[in-house]
PDB file of all heavy atoms in Angstrom:
ATOM      1  N   HIS A   1      17.364   0.157   0.754  1.00 60.00           N
ATOM      2  CA  HIS A   1      16.314   0.435  -0.256  1.00 60.00           C
ATOM      3  C   HIS A   1      15.221   1.291   0.349  1.00 60.00           C
ATOM      4  O   HIS A   1      14.038   0.981   0.213  1.00 60.00           O
ATOM      5  CB  HIS A   1      15.737  -0.852  -0.805  1.00 60.00           C
ATOM      6  CG  HIS A   1      16.765  -1.703  -1.497  1.00 60.00           C
ATOM      7  ND1 HIS A   1      17.355  -1.356  -2.691  1.00 60.00           N
ATOM      8  CD2 HIS A   1      17.288  -2.940  -1.164  1.00 60.00           C
ATOM      9  CE1 HIS A   1      18.167  -2.327  -3.040  1.00 60.00           C
ATOM     10  NE2 HIS A   1      18.151  -3.244  -2.169  1.00 60.00           N
ATOM     11  N   GLY A   2      15.524   2.342   1.069  1.00 65.00           N
ATOM     12  CA  GLY A   2      14.522   3.134   1.706  1.00 65.00           C
ATOM     13  C   GLY A   2      13.621   3.859   0.734  1.00 65.00           C
ATOM     14  O   GLY A   2      12.523   4.263   1.062  1.00 65.00           O
ATOM     15  N   GLU A   3      14.065   4.041  -0.507  1.00 76.00           N
ATOM     16  CA  GLU A   3      13.266   4.760  -1.512  1.00 76.00           C
ATOM     17  C   GLU A   3      12.281   3.860  -2.272  1.00 76.00           C
ATOM     18  O   GLU A   3      11.453   4.375  -2.955  1.00 76.00           O
ATOM     19  CB  GLU A   3      14.197   5.527  -2.452  1.00 76.00           C
ATOM     20  CG  GLU A   3      14.931   4.628  -3.460  1.00 76.00           C
ATOM     21  CD  GLU A   3      16.133   3.881  -2.853  1.00 76.00           C
ATOM     22  OE1 GLU A   3      16.586   4.179  -1.737  1.00 76.00           O
ATOM     23  OE2 GLU A   3      16.609   2.946  -3.545  1.00 76.00           O
ATOM     24  N   LYS A   4      12.410   2.591  -2.190  1.00 82.00           N
ATOM     25  CA  LYS A   4      11.484   1.702  -2.884  1.00 82.00           C
ATOM     26  C   LYS A   4      10.082   1.920  -2.412  1.00 82.00           C
ATOM     27  O   LYS A   4       9.816   2.012  -1.239  1.00 82.00           O
ATOM     28  CB  LYS A   4      11.873   0.237  -2.755  1.00 82.00           C
ATOM     29  CG  LYS A   4      12.954  -0.265  -3.664  1.00 82.00           C
ATOM     30  CD  LYS A   4      13.080  -1.735  -3.665  1.00 82.00           C
ATOM     31  CE  LYS A   4      14.066  -2.159  -4.622  1.00 82.00           C
ATOM     32  NZ  LYS A   4      14.091  -3.521  -4.859  1.00 82.00           N
ATOM     33  N   MET A   5       9.116   1.888  -3.343  1.00 87.00           N
ATOM     34  CA  MET A   5       7.693   1.970  -2.953  1.00 87.00           C
ATOM     35  C   MET A   5       7.027   0.681  -3.125  1.00 87.00           C
ATOM     36  O   MET A   5       7.157   0.020  -4.157  1.00 87.00           O
ATOM     37  CB  MET A   5       7.051   3.089  -3.857  1.00 87.00           C
ATOM     38  CG  MET A   5       7.640   4.453  -3.702  1.00 87.00           C
ATOM     39  SD  MET A   5       7.580   5.113  -2.113  1.00 87.00           S
ATOM     40  CE  MET A   5       5.878   5.609  -1.986  1.00 87.00           C
ATOM     41  N   LEU A   6       6.371   0.199  -2.031  1.00 89.00           N
ATOM     42  CA  LEU A   6       5.773  -1.088  -1.958  1.00 89.00           C
ATOM     43  C   LEU A   6       4.341  -1.018  -1.518  1.00 89.00           C
ATOM     44  O   LEU A   6       4.022  -0.201  -0.669  1.00 89.00           O
ATOM     45  CB  LEU A   6       6.581  -1.959  -0.914  1.00 89.00           C
ATOM     46  CG  LEU A   6       8.077  -1.987  -1.166  1.00 89.00           C
ATOM     47  CD1 LEU A   6       8.784  -2.199   0.185  1.00 89.00           C
ATOM     48  CD2 LEU A   6       8.435  -3.179  -2.082  1.00 89.00           C
ATOM     49  N   SER A   7       3.512  -1.903  -2.067  1.00 90.00           N
ATOM     50  CA  SER A   7       2.165  -1.999  -1.576  1.00 90.00           C
ATOM     51  C   SER A   7       2.235  -2.486  -0.127  1.00 90.00           C
ATOM     52  O   SER A   7       2.787  -3.568   0.176  1.00 90.00           O
ATOM     53  CB  SER A   7       1.357  -3.031  -2.431  1.00 90.00           C
ATOM     54  OG  SER A   7       1.228  -2.587  -3.719  1.00 90.00           O
ATOM     55  N   THR A   8       1.642  -1.692   0.770  1.00 91.00           N
ATOM     56  CA  THR A   8       1.805  -1.919   2.204  1.00 91.00           C
ATOM     57  C   THR A   8       0.462  -2.009   2.918  1.00 91.00           C
ATOM     58  O   THR A   8      -0.246  -1.014   2.894  1.00 91.00           O
ATOM     59  CB  THR A   8       2.698  -0.837   2.858  1.00 91.00           C
ATOM     60  OG1 THR A   8       3.928  -0.748   2.086  1.00 91.00           O
ATOM     61  CG2 THR A   8       3.044  -1.139   4.272  1.00 91.00           C
ATOM     62  N   PRO A   9       0.166  -3.133   3.546  1.00 92.00           N
ATOM     63  CA  PRO A   9      -1.068  -3.201   4.267  1.00 92.00           C
ATOM     64  C   PRO A   9      -1.132  -2.165   5.383  1.00 92.00           C
ATOM     65  O   PRO A   9      -0.088  -1.698   5.844  1.00 92.00           O
ATOM     66  CB  PRO A   9      -1.093  -4.612   4.865  1.00 92.00           C
ATOM     67  CG  PRO A   9      -0.216  -5.392   3.930  1.00 92.00           C
ATOM     68  CD  PRO A   9       0.873  -4.433   3.498  1.00 92.00           C
ATOM     69  N   PRO A  10      -2.298  -1.824   5.857  1.00 90.00           N
ATOM     70  CA  PRO A  10      -2.421  -0.710   6.885  1.00 90.00           C
ATOM     71  C   PRO A  10      -1.801  -1.171   8.176  1.00 90.00           C
ATOM     72  O   PRO A  10      -1.558  -2.378   8.472  1.00 90.00           O
ATOM     73  CB  PRO A  10      -3.903  -0.523   7.026  1.00 90.00           C
ATOM     74  CG  PRO A  10      -4.518  -1.723   6.457  1.00 90.00           C
ATOM     75  CD  PRO A  10      -3.618  -2.315   5.452  1.00 90.00           C
ATOM     76  N   LEU A  11      -1.566  -0.181   9.038  1.00 85.00           N
ATOM     77  CA  LEU A  11      -0.979  -0.407  10.347  1.00 85.00           C
ATOM     78  C   LEU A  11      -1.908  -1.242  11.227  1.00 85.00           C
ATOM     79  O   LEU A  11      -1.472  -2.166  11.946  1.00 85.00           O
ATOM     80  CB  LEU A  11      -0.630   0.867  11.013  1.00 85.00           C
ATOM     81  CG  LEU A  11       0.181   0.795  12.309  1.00 85.00           C
ATOM     82  CD1 LEU A  11       1.537   0.091  12.059  1.00 85.00           C
ATOM     83  CD2 LEU A  11       0.478   2.226  12.801  1.00 85.00           C
ATOM     84  N   SER A  12      -3.167  -0.970  11.204  1.00 84.00           N
ATOM     85  CA  SER A  12      -4.149  -1.716  12.044  1.00 84.00           C
ATOM     86  C   SER A  12      -4.884  -2.710  11.162  1.00 84.00           C
ATOM     87  O   SER A  12      -5.908  -2.391  10.603  1.00 84.00           O
ATOM     88  CB  SER A  12      -5.115  -0.730  12.675  1.00 84.00           C
ATOM     89  OG  SER A  12      -5.774  -0.009  11.700  1.00 84.00           O
ATOM     90  N   VAL A  13      -4.339  -3.906  11.043  1.00 83.00           N
ATOM     91  CA  VAL A  13      -4.934  -4.970  10.238  1.00 83.00           C
ATOM     92  C   VAL A  13      -5.963  -5.685  11.134  1.00 83.00           C
ATOM     93  O   VAL A  13      -5.649  -6.093  12.281  1.00 83.00           O
ATOM     94  CB  VAL A  13      -3.852  -5.934   9.778  1.00 83.00           C
ATOM     95  CG1 VAL A  13      -4.450  -7.136   9.057  1.00 83.00           C
ATOM     96  CG2 VAL A  13      -2.818  -5.307   8.888  1.00 83.00           C
ATOM     97  N   GLU A  14      -7.169  -5.849  10.582  1.00 80.00           N
ATOM     98  CA  GLU A  14      -8.217  -6.573  11.295  1.00 80.00           C
ATOM     99  C   GLU A  14      -7.772  -8.040  11.424  1.00 80.00           C
ATOM    100  O   GLU A  14      -7.076  -8.572  10.534  1.00 80.00           O
ATOM    101  CB  GLU A  14      -9.523  -6.492  10.584  1.00 80.00           C
ATOM    102  CG  GLU A  14     -10.081  -5.063  10.600  1.00 80.00           C
ATOM    103  CD  GLU A  14     -11.402  -4.978   9.801  1.00 80.00           C
ATOM    104  OE1 GLU A  14     -12.149  -6.020   9.859  1.00 80.00           O
ATOM    105  OE2 GLU A  14     -11.658  -4.034   9.245  1.00 80.00           O
ATOM    106  N   ASP A  15      -8.215  -8.732  12.424  1.00 77.00           N
ATOM    107  CA  ASP A  15      -7.846 -10.130  12.624  1.00 77.00           C
ATOM    108  C   ASP A  15      -8.234 -11.025  11.457  1.00 77.00           C
ATOM    109  O   ASP A  15      -7.463 -11.883  11.076  1.00 77.00           O
ATOM    110  CB  ASP A  15      -8.473 -10.675  13.909  1.00 77.00           C
ATOM    111  CG  ASP A  15      -7.797 -10.152  15.147  1.00 77.00           C
ATOM    112  OD1 ASP A  15      -6.670  -9.630  15.019  1.00 77.00           O
ATOM    113  OD2 ASP A  15      -8.400 -10.240  16.226  1.00 77.00           O
ATOM    114  N   CYS A  16      -9.413 -10.761  10.876  1.00 82.00           N
ATOM    115  CA  CYS A  16      -9.839 -11.521   9.796  1.00 82.00           C
ATOM    116  C   CYS A  16      -8.978 -11.352   8.494  1.00 82.00           C
ATOM    117  O   CYS A  16      -9.042 -12.173   7.560  1.00 82.00           O
ATOM    118  CB  CYS A  16     -11.329 -11.342   9.488  1.00 82.00           C
ATOM    119  SG  CYS A  16     -11.685  -9.660   8.893  1.00 82.00           S
ATOM    120  N   CYS A  17      -8.257 -10.281   8.415  1.00 88.00           N
ATOM    121  CA  CYS A  17      -7.429  -9.934   7.240  1.00 88.00           C
ATOM    122  C   CYS A  17      -5.926 -10.182   7.507  1.00 88.00           C
ATOM    123  O   CYS A  17      -5.074  -9.809   6.668  1.00 88.00           O
ATOM    124  CB  CYS A  17      -7.669  -8.518   6.755  1.00 88.00           C
ATOM    125  SG  CYS A  17      -9.286  -8.238   6.141  1.00 88.00           S
ATOM    126  N   CYS A  18      -5.629 -10.824   8.588  1.00 89.00           N
ATOM    127  CA  CYS A  18      -4.279 -11.075   8.982  1.00 89.00           C
ATOM    128  C   CYS A  18      -3.483 -11.889   7.941  1.00 89.00           C
ATOM    129  O   CYS A  18      -2.385 -11.534   7.525  1.00 89.00           O
ATOM    130  CB  CYS A  18      -4.222 -11.728  10.372  1.00 89.00           C
ATOM    131  SG  CYS A  18      -2.607 -12.063  10.936  1.00 89.00           S
ATOM    132  N   LEU A  19      -4.062 -12.994   7.500  1.00 90.00           N
ATOM    133  CA  LEU A  19      -3.415 -13.836   6.521  1.00 90.00           C
ATOM    134  C   LEU A  19      -3.219 -13.148   5.170  1.00 90.00           C
ATOM    135  O   LEU A  19      -2.255 -13.308   4.558  1.00 90.00           O
ATOM    136  CB  LEU A  19      -4.163 -15.154   6.330  1.00 90.00           C
ATOM    137  CG  LEU A  19      -4.129 -16.124   7.476  1.00 90.00           C
ATOM    138  CD1 LEU A  19      -5.028 -17.367   7.177  1.00 90.00           C
ATOM    139  CD2 LEU A  19      -2.688 -16.585   7.752  1.00 90.00           C
ATOM    140  N   SER A  20      -4.242 -12.380   4.825  1.00 91.00           N
ATOM    141  CA  SER A  20      -4.155 -11.592   3.556  1.00 91.00           C
ATOM    142  C   SER A  20      -2.966 -10.597   3.644  1.00 91.00           C
ATOM    143  O   SER A  20      -2.221 -10.398   2.665  1.00 91.00           O
ATOM    144  CB  SER A  20      -5.466 -10.907   3.310  1.00 91.00           C
ATOM    145  OG  SER A  20      -5.409 -10.068   2.186  1.00 91.00           O
ATOM    146  N   ALA A  21      -2.876  -9.864   4.774  1.00 92.00           N
ATOM    147  CA  ALA A  21      -1.817  -8.906   4.960  1.00 92.00           C
ATOM    148  C   ALA A  21      -0.409  -9.597   4.961  1.00 92.00           C
ATOM    149  O   ALA A  21       0.532  -9.084   4.325  1.00 92.00           O
ATOM    150  CB  ALA A  21      -1.994  -8.181   6.278  1.00 92.00           C
ATOM    151  N   LEU A  22      -0.344 -10.746   5.639  1.00 93.00           N
ATOM    152  CA  LEU A  22       0.932 -11.492   5.666  1.00 93.00           C
ATOM    153  C   LEU A  22       1.263 -11.903   4.247  1.00 93.00           C
ATOM    154  O   LEU A  22       2.472 -11.779   3.892  1.00 93.00           O
ATOM    155  CB  LEU A  22       0.803 -12.672   6.599  1.00 93.00           C
ATOM    156  CG  LEU A  22       1.996 -13.550   6.731  1.00 93.00           C
ATOM    157  CD1 LEU A  22       3.187 -12.776   7.356  1.00 93.00           C
ATOM    158  CD2 LEU A  22       1.716 -14.781   7.580  1.00 93.00           C
ATOM    159  N   GLN A  23       0.344 -12.339   3.466  1.00 93.00           N
ATOM    160  CA  GLN A  23       0.628 -12.770   2.096  1.00 93.00           C
ATOM    161  C   GLN A  23       1.103 -11.588   1.304  1.00 93.00           C
ATOM    162  O   GLN A  23       2.024 -11.722   0.478  1.00 93.00           O
ATOM    163  CB  GLN A  23      -0.586 -13.396   1.500  1.00 93.00           C
ATOM    164  CG  GLN A  23      -0.335 -13.949   0.122  1.00 93.00           C
ATOM    165  CD  GLN A  23      -1.645 -14.669  -0.446  1.00 93.00           C
ATOM    166  OE1 GLN A  23      -2.713 -14.597   0.081  1.00 93.00           O
ATOM    167  NE2 GLN A  23      -1.448 -15.326  -1.575  1.00 93.00           N
ATOM    168  N   CYS A  24       0.530 -10.437   1.525  1.00 94.00           N
ATOM    169  CA  CYS A  24       0.985  -9.208   0.784  1.00 94.00           C
ATOM    170  C   CYS A  24       2.421  -8.884   1.157  1.00 94.00           C
ATOM    171  O   CYS A  24       3.210  -8.543   0.269  1.00 94.00           O
ATOM    172  CB  CYS A  24       0.027  -8.053   1.111  1.00 94.00           C
ATOM    173  SG  CYS A  24       0.354  -6.577   0.178  1.00 94.00           S
ATOM    174  N   PHE A  25       2.769  -8.972   2.406  1.00 93.00           N
ATOM    175  CA  PHE A  25       4.153  -8.706   2.815  1.00 93.00           C
ATOM    176  C   PHE A  25       5.074  -9.744   2.157  1.00 93.00           C
ATOM    177  O   PHE A  25       6.195  -9.385   1.675  1.00 93.00           O
ATOM    178  CB  PHE A  25       4.289  -8.820   4.364  1.00 93.00           C
ATOM    179  CG  PHE A  25       3.749  -7.551   5.059  1.00 93.00           C
ATOM    180  CD1 PHE A  25       2.719  -7.682   5.922  1.00 93.00           C
ATOM    181  CD2 PHE A  25       4.355  -6.336   4.835  1.00 93.00           C
ATOM    182  CE1 PHE A  25       2.231  -6.542   6.651  1.00 93.00           C
ATOM    183  CE2 PHE A  25       3.909  -5.206   5.532  1.00 93.00           C
ATOM    184  CZ  PHE A  25       2.879  -5.314   6.395  1.00 93.00           C
ATOM    185  N   GLN A  26       4.670 -10.983   2.072  1.00 92.00           N
ATOM    186  CA  GLN A  26       5.472 -12.058   1.476  1.00 92.00           C
ATOM    187  C   GLN A  26       5.737 -11.736  -0.023  1.00 92.00           C
ATOM    188  O   GLN A  26       6.802 -11.848  -0.517  1.00 92.00           O
ATOM    189  CB  GLN A  26       4.780 -13.387   1.592  1.00 92.00           C
ATOM    190  CG  GLN A  26       4.738 -14.014   2.959  1.00 92.00           C
ATOM    191  CD  GLN A  26       3.834 -15.240   3.023  1.00 92.00           C
ATOM    192  OE1 GLN A  26       3.187 -15.606   1.999  1.00 92.00           O
ATOM    193  NE2 GLN A  26       3.799 -15.826   4.140  1.00 92.00           N
ATOM    194  N   GLU A  27       4.671 -11.410  -0.697  1.00 91.00           N
ATOM    195  CA  GLU A  27       4.733 -11.179  -2.149  1.00 91.00           C
ATOM    196  C   GLU A  27       5.652 -10.038  -2.408  1.00 91.00           C
ATOM    197  O   GLU A  27       6.501 -10.087  -3.344  1.00 91.00           O
ATOM    198  CB  GLU A  27       3.324 -10.880  -2.671  1.00 91.00           C
ATOM    199  CG  GLU A  27       2.451 -12.085  -2.814  1.00 91.00           C
ATOM    200  CD  GLU A  27       1.013 -11.711  -3.160  1.00 91.00           C
ATOM    201  OE1 GLU A  27       0.736 -10.526  -3.508  1.00 91.00           O
ATOM    202  OE2 GLU A  27       0.138 -12.612  -3.149  1.00 91.00           O
ATOM    203  N   ASN A  28       5.509  -8.980  -1.674  1.00 89.00           N
ATOM    204  CA  ASN A  28       6.401  -7.792  -1.915  1.00 89.00           C
ATOM    205  C   ASN A  28       7.829  -8.052  -1.599  1.00 89.00           C
ATOM    206  O   ASN A  28       8.733  -7.647  -2.306  1.00 89.00           O
ATOM    207  CB  ASN A  28       5.930  -6.590  -0.997  1.00 89.00           C
ATOM    208  CG  ASN A  28       4.798  -5.802  -1.671  1.00 89.00           C
ATOM    209  OD1 ASN A  28       5.059  -5.164  -2.709  1.00 89.00           O
ATOM    210  ND2 ASN A  28       3.681  -5.864  -1.099  1.00 89.00           N
ATOM    211  N   LEU A  29       8.060  -8.791  -0.509  1.00 87.00           N
ATOM    212  CA  LEU A  29       9.413  -9.205  -0.174  1.00 87.00           C
ATOM    213  C   LEU A  29      10.067 -10.041  -1.270  1.00 87.00           C
ATOM    214  O   LEU A  29      11.214  -9.864  -1.661  1.00 87.00           O
ATOM    215  CB  LEU A  29       9.436  -9.949   1.143  1.00 87.00           C
ATOM    216  CG  LEU A  29      10.806 -10.217   1.799  1.00 87.00           C
ATOM    217  CD1 LEU A  29      11.463  -8.905   2.192  1.00 87.00           C
ATOM    218  CD2 LEU A  29      10.623 -11.134   2.979  1.00 87.00           C
ATOM    219  N   HIS A  30       9.257 -10.956  -1.785  1.00 86.00           N
ATOM    220  CA  HIS A  30       9.723 -11.859  -2.890  1.00 86.00           C
ATOM    221  C   HIS A  30      10.024 -11.064  -4.200  1.00 86.00           C
ATOM    222  O   HIS A  30      11.066 -11.311  -4.806  1.00 86.00           O
ATOM    223  CB  HIS A  30       8.734 -12.936  -3.129  1.00 86.00           C
ATOM    224  CG  HIS A  30       9.176 -13.906  -4.150  1.00 86.00           C
ATOM    225  ND1 HIS A  30      10.213 -14.843  -3.955  1.00 86.00           N
ATOM    226  CD2 HIS A  30       8.703 -14.173  -5.442  1.00 86.00           C
ATOM    227  CE1 HIS A  30      10.368 -15.552  -5.067  1.00 86.00           C
ATOM    228  NE2 HIS A  30       9.490 -15.150  -5.985  1.00 86.00           N
ATOM    229  N   VAL A  31       9.109 -10.153  -4.580  1.00 85.00           N
ATOM    230  CA  VAL A  31       9.258  -9.515  -5.803  1.00 85.00           C
ATOM    231  C   VAL A  31      10.292  -8.336  -5.763  1.00 85.00           C
ATOM    232  O   VAL A  31      11.076  -8.154  -6.706  1.00 85.00           O
ATOM    233  CB  VAL A  31       7.854  -8.948  -6.285  1.00 85.00           C
ATOM    234  CG1 VAL A  31       7.989  -8.069  -7.489  1.00 85.00           C
ATOM    235  CG2 VAL A  31       6.916 -10.170  -6.584  1.00 85.00           C
ATOM    236  N   GLN A  32      10.214  -7.575  -4.698  1.00 82.00           N
ATOM    237  CA  GLN A  32      11.007  -6.349  -4.658  1.00 82.00           C
ATOM    238  C   GLN A  32      12.403  -6.505  -4.120  1.00 82.00           C
ATOM    239  O   GLN A  32      13.308  -5.633  -4.354  1.00 82.00           O
ATOM    240  CB  GLN A  32      10.259  -5.309  -3.813  1.00 82.00           C
ATOM    241  CG  GLN A  32       8.931  -4.905  -4.294  1.00 82.00           C
ATOM    242  CD  GLN A  32       9.004  -4.202  -5.647  1.00 82.00           C
ATOM    243  OE1 GLN A  32       9.952  -3.505  -5.937  1.00 82.00           O
ATOM    244  NE2 GLN A  32       7.941  -4.384  -6.466  1.00 82.00           N
ATOM    245  N   PHE A  33      12.657  -7.553  -3.368  1.00 78.00           N
ATOM    246  CA  PHE A  33      14.010  -7.715  -2.781  1.00 78.00           C
ATOM    247  C   PHE A  33      14.576  -9.084  -3.210  1.00 78.00           C
ATOM    248  O   PHE A  33      13.844  -9.995  -3.555  1.00 78.00           O
ATOM    249  CB  PHE A  33      13.884  -7.649  -1.208  1.00 78.00           C
ATOM    250  CG  PHE A  33      13.417  -6.328  -0.750  1.00 78.00           C
ATOM    251  CD1 PHE A  33      12.063  -6.181  -0.355  1.00 78.00           C
ATOM    252  CD2 PHE A  33      14.219  -5.243  -0.719  1.00 78.00           C
ATOM    253  CE1 PHE A  33      11.594  -4.977   0.084  1.00 78.00           C
ATOM    254  CE2 PHE A  33      13.755  -3.972  -0.308  1.00 78.00           C
ATOM    255  CZ  PHE A  33      12.445  -3.866   0.097  1.00 78.00           C
ATOM    256  N   ASN A  34      15.862  -9.174  -3.107  1.00 71.00           N
ATOM    257  CA  ASN A  34      16.553 -10.351  -3.516  1.00 71.00           C
ATOM    258  C   ASN A  34      16.428 -11.456  -2.450  1.00 71.00           C
ATOM    259  O   ASN A  34      17.316 -11.495  -1.570  1.00 71.00           O
ATOM    260  CB  ASN A  34      18.058 -10.000  -3.788  1.00 71.00           C
ATOM    261  CG  ASN A  34      18.799 -11.175  -4.354  1.00 71.00           C
ATOM    262  OD1 ASN A  34      18.286 -12.168  -4.649  1.00 71.00           O
ATOM    263  ND2 ASN A  34      20.091 -10.955  -4.433  1.00 71.00           N
ATOM    264  N   VAL A  35      15.433 -12.285  -2.597  1.00 71.00           N
ATOM    265  CA  VAL A  35      15.289 -13.309  -1.531  1.00 71.00           C
ATOM    266  C   VAL A  35      16.215 -14.471  -1.683  1.00 71.00           C
ATOM    267  O   VAL A  35      16.210 -15.386  -0.902  1.00 71.00           O
ATOM    268  CB  VAL A  35      13.792 -13.830  -1.497  1.00 71.00           C
ATOM    269  CG1 VAL A  35      12.832 -12.792  -1.046  1.00 71.00           C
ATOM    270  CG2 VAL A  35      13.395 -14.469  -2.809  1.00 71.00           C
ATOM    271  N   THR A  36      17.080 -14.427  -2.727  1.00 72.00           N
ATOM    272  CA  THR A  36      18.137 -15.452  -2.808  1.00 72.00           C
ATOM    273  C   THR A  36      19.290 -15.159  -1.855  1.00 72.00           C
ATOM    274  O   THR A  36      20.036 -16.070  -1.536  1.00 72.00           O
ATOM    275  CB  THR A  36      18.686 -15.587  -4.217  1.00 72.00           C
ATOM    276  OG1 THR A  36      19.159 -14.298  -4.642  1.00 72.00           O
ATOM    277  CG2 THR A  36      17.545 -16.039  -5.178  1.00 72.00           C
ATOM    278  N   GLU A  37      19.411 -13.959  -1.375  1.00 78.00           N
ATOM    279  CA  GLU A  37      20.384 -13.636  -0.357  1.00 78.00           C
ATOM    280  C   GLU A  37      19.995 -14.342   0.932  1.00 78.00           C
ATOM    281  O   GLU A  37      18.798 -14.500   1.169  1.00 78.00           O
ATOM    282  CB  GLU A  37      20.475 -12.135  -0.144  1.00 78.00           C
ATOM    283  CG  GLU A  37      21.623 -11.493  -0.856  1.00 78.00           C
ATOM    284  CD  GLU A  37      21.747 -10.039  -0.488  1.00 78.00           C
ATOM    285  OE1 GLU A  37      21.849  -9.687   0.725  1.00 78.00           O
ATOM    286  OE2 GLU A  37      21.740  -9.230  -1.411  1.00 78.00           O
ATOM    287  N   ARG A  38      20.907 -14.681   1.746  1.00 83.00           N
ATOM    288  CA  ARG A  38      20.672 -15.461   2.870  1.00 83.00           C
ATOM    289  C   ARG A  38      19.661 -14.859   3.861  1.00 83.00           C
ATOM    290  O   ARG A  38      18.701 -15.553   4.260  1.00 83.00           O
ATOM    291  CB  ARG A  38      22.041 -15.769   3.626  1.00 83.00           C
ATOM    292  CG  ARG A  38      21.853 -16.742   4.700  1.00 83.00           C
ATOM    293  CD  ARG A  38      23.207 -17.145   5.238  1.00 83.00           C
ATOM    294  NE  ARG A  38      22.985 -18.181   6.286  1.00 83.00           N
ATOM    295  CZ  ARG A  38      23.869 -18.590   7.061  1.00 83.00           C
ATOM    296  NH1 ARG A  38      25.028 -17.984   7.111  1.00 83.00           N
ATOM    297  NH2 ARG A  38      23.628 -19.493   7.988  1.00 83.00           N
ATOM    298  N   THR A  39      19.879 -13.642   4.240  1.00 83.00           N
ATOM    299  CA  THR A  39      19.001 -13.016   5.332  1.00 83.00           C
ATOM    300  C   THR A  39      17.581 -12.868   4.778  1.00 83.00           C
ATOM    301  O   THR A  39      16.561 -13.112   5.495  1.00 83.00           O
ATOM    302  CB  THR A  39      19.513 -11.725   5.792  1.00 83.00           C
ATOM    303  OG1 THR A  39      19.750 -10.820   4.687  1.00 83.00           O
ATOM    304  CG2 THR A  39      20.865 -11.864   6.569  1.00 83.00           C
ATOM    305  N   GLN A  40      17.415 -12.400   3.563  1.00 85.00           N
ATOM    306  CA  GLN A  40      16.082 -12.167   2.964  1.00 85.00           C
ATOM    307  C   GLN A  40      15.394 -13.530   2.738  1.00 85.00           C
ATOM    308  O   GLN A  40      14.206 -13.658   2.952  1.00 85.00           O
ATOM    309  CB  GLN A  40      16.178 -11.405   1.636  1.00 85.00           C
ATOM    310  CG  GLN A  40      16.469  -9.956   1.836  1.00 85.00           C
ATOM    311  CD  GLN A  40      17.953  -9.689   1.671  1.00 85.00           C
ATOM    312  OE1 GLN A  40      18.790 -10.471   1.989  1.00 85.00           O
ATOM    313  NE2 GLN A  40      18.283  -8.507   1.121  1.00 85.00           N
ATOM    314  N   GLY A  41      16.160 -14.490   2.306  1.00 86.00           N
ATOM    315  CA  GLY A  41      15.625 -15.844   2.095  1.00 86.00           C
ATOM    316  C   GLY A  41      15.079 -16.466   3.367  1.00 86.00           C
ATOM    317  O   GLY A  41      14.026 -17.106   3.390  1.00 86.00           O
ATOM    318  N   LYS A  42      15.825 -16.302   4.453  1.00 90.00           N
ATOM    319  CA  LYS A  42      15.390 -16.793   5.760  1.00 90.00           C
ATOM    320  C   LYS A  42      14.096 -16.183   6.154  1.00 90.00           C
ATOM    321  O   LYS A  42      13.167 -16.854   6.666  1.00 90.00           O
ATOM    322  CB  LYS A  42      16.444 -16.617   6.838  1.00 90.00           C
ATOM    323  CG  LYS A  42      17.546 -17.648   6.871  1.00 90.00           C
ATOM    324  CD  LYS A  42      18.477 -17.302   8.004  1.00 90.00           C
ATOM    325  CE  LYS A  42      19.233 -18.485   8.500  1.00 90.00           C
ATOM    326  NZ  LYS A  42      20.084 -18.134   9.603  1.00 90.00           N
TER     327      LYS A  42
END
């Protein structure tokens, strides 16, 4: 899925925004990809 466009936190995430960035990655992974598949689910 190289062509999918996802909301992506910046490369240099400040320490205080680390959890927020991690949550953003989680949300995008859950919504945009099939997390019921074994590798994505793990």
Side-chain angles (χ1 to χ4, degrees):
H1 299 292
E3 71 284 347
K4 276 193 178 190
M5 299 302 281
L6 308 149
S7 296
T8 306
L11 189 58
S12 58
V13 175
E14 295 178 32
D15 287 342
C16 65
C17 293
C18 180
L19 288 176
S20 176
L22 180 62
Q23 185 176 9
C24 186
F25 283 118
Q26 290 170 356
E27 289 171 8
N28 274 294
L29 190 65
H30 181 69
V31 171
Q32 299 295 329
F33 299 101
N34 184 9
V35 294
T36 56
E37 261 186 56
R38 188 172 185 194
T39 55
Q40 288 94 328
K42 277 182 157 182

